[in-house]
Amino acid sequence: MDPVSELLSGIVADADAVALFSPSGSLYDRFVEADLDADVIVIGTENTVDADTFVEIPLEFVDIEDLVEFGVGAAVGDGYVEDGDVVVCATASFDDEIDTVSRVRAAESVHSDLYDLFVNSRAEPDVIRSVLEVAIDLGKKGQKGKPVGALFVVGDAGNVMNKSRPLSYNPFEKSHVHVGDPIVNVMLKEFSRLDGAFVISDSGKIVSAYRYLEPAAEGIDIPKGLGARHMAGGAITRDTNATSIVLSESDGLVRAFKGGTLVLEIDPEEY
Ligand SMILES: Nc1ncnc2c1ncn2[C@@H]1O[C@H](COP(=O)(O)OP(=O)(O)OP(=O)(O)O)[C@@H](O)[C@H]1O
Ligand SMILES: [Mn+2]
């Protein structure tokens, strides 16, 4: 065998599963028709090919390593892949078409922090995703062209309310509005000009705006150059089971904190 084919066949040998990341319909069909020994799993944000075995990921990852890690972690979480299984992953890493094949051993450790952020958070994955989308969108556009910062504390709202105080009247006091609702996304963006944090429940209800967080911040490690918003956003996730999503006014990045640590950092411009 020529060395290139040998290399490739070594990568795909004895796979328990083949994970196709956002494949085209024709590629997926060919895999189904081939009737492989390995299970064929489709991983993506949407099941555009109507795959029988589909693993949904909550957002488009820019980093392919993150994507593969997250996807395989999610496949383990969904019960399609077991610990120790060899998963051959086909991804479009350099272009829109699949151009990369990698060999990954599914393991508990493959559960990335990012996977944890969505799946093992108190709040529902859809709620975290919606808030992340609002933050990314706000980061891209700013408010009337000017950069804005924002702090969203998602999940475990009762405890978060106990560790914070109002800076002003709460515009969401008597409302029953949820994130993901288009009008709410507009409201969140509008109110982001104002001080303090948004508090959002596990199921996505906006509990409050204008909250000043007062968590214990000793021992919290946040990236240098970031200030009070990030400190408070990080620390509240150690004091409670909430997840914080923070848009920085100064560097424009969106960060997520869980358990007091930074678990995700994304540049809205890349989305
Ligand atoms: N404890 C807190 N709870 C809620 N919001 C806070 C808290 N501390 C600061 N903020 C909000 O963060 C805003 C920015 O504060 P600061 O510049 O210190 O934070 P930062 O981490 O540097 O964030 P940025 O990168 O957006 O500037 C404040 O105007 C305030 O609205
Ligand atoms: Mn600042």
Side-chain angles (χ1 to χ4, degrees):
M1 210 189 296
D2 74 273
V4 176
S5 306
E6 204 174 322
L7 177 66
L8 196 59
S9 58
I11 291 173
V12 301
D14 309 318
D16 297 294
V18 177
L20 304 174
F21 286 74
S22 307
S24 65
S26 60
L27 184 75
Y28 173 68
D29 290 343
R30 267 185 285 145
F31 269 81
V32 172
E33 281 156 24
D35 198 21
L36 303 174
D37 286 337
D39 299 330
V40 177
I41 302 170
V42 169
I43 302 180
T45 52
E46 263 179 84
N47 190 1
T48 52
V49 298
D50 258 331
D52 294 334
T53 308
F54 174 67
V55 173
E56 187 182 345
I57 54 170
L59 75 171
E60 300 284 357
F61 291 87
V62 176
D63 187 299
I64 293 299
E65 244 175 84
D66 284 348
L67 171 67
V68 167
E69 234 178 52
F70 192 97
V72 173
V76 174
D78 289 357
Y80 296 131
V81 169
E82 278 174 29
D83 230 38
D85 278 1
V86 169
V87 185
V88 166
C89 297
T91 51
S93 310
F94 300 95
D95 218 324
D96 295 340
E97 268 171 54
I98 285 177
D99 51 22
T100 306
V101 175
S102 45
R103 183 182 180 87
V104 178
R105 191 172 287 277
E108 224 39 70
S109 63
V110 177
H111 277 232
S112 61
D113 289 343
L114 199 52
Y115 177 77
D116 247 38
L117 173 65
F118 287 99
V119 178
N120 297 329
S121 278
R122 278 273 308 238
E124 288 162 23
D126 267 359
V127 172
I128 303 222
R129 178 191 10 199
S130 294
V131 174
L132 206 49
E133 278 169 1
V134 169
I136 288 170
D137 218 39
L138 203 53
K140 261 189 205 155
K141 300 195 190 107
Q143 258 300 342
K144 312 207 159 62
K146 282 208 192 114
V148 281
L151 168 52
F152 303 95
V153 186
V154 189
D156 204 8
N159 281 323
V160 174
M161 291 303 276
N162 285 336
K163 292 195 181 282
S164 59
R165 65 175 75 198
L167 286 167
S168 179
Y169 91 100
N170 174 17
F172 293 96
E173 173 91 67
K174 291 202 172 67
S175 68
H176 289 276
V177 292
H178 284 74
V179 292
D181 193 352
I183 184 72
V184 173
N185 290 353
V186 173
M187 285 166 86
L188 289 178
K189 287 177 193 168
E190 197 53 41
F191 287 127
S192 66
R193 274 179 294 128
L194 309 164
D195 262 355
F198 292 99
V199 178
I200 296 162
S201 79
D202 295 342
S203 64
K205 181 182 182 298
I206 320 273
V207 176
S208 185
Y210 295 126
R211 287 305 278 197
Y212 182 73
L213 308 176
E214 297 181 305
E218 303 98 72
I220 289 289
D221 207 11
I222 60 159
K224 294 265 172 312
L226 295 172
R229 186 185 340 254
H230 292 82
M231 183 61 84
I236 194 77
T237 70
R238 194 186 51 183
D239 267 15
T240 69
N241 288 315
T243 299
S244 287
I245 294 171
V246 192
L247 168 65
S248 168
E249 186 177 344
S250 47
D251 69 14
L253 299 184
V254 172
R255 295 179 177 83
F257 295 88
K258 229 185 115 175
T261 52
L262 178 68
V263 293
L264 172 70
E265 190 170 81
I266 46 186
D267 184 350
E269 296 303 334
E270 289 178 12
Y271 274 80

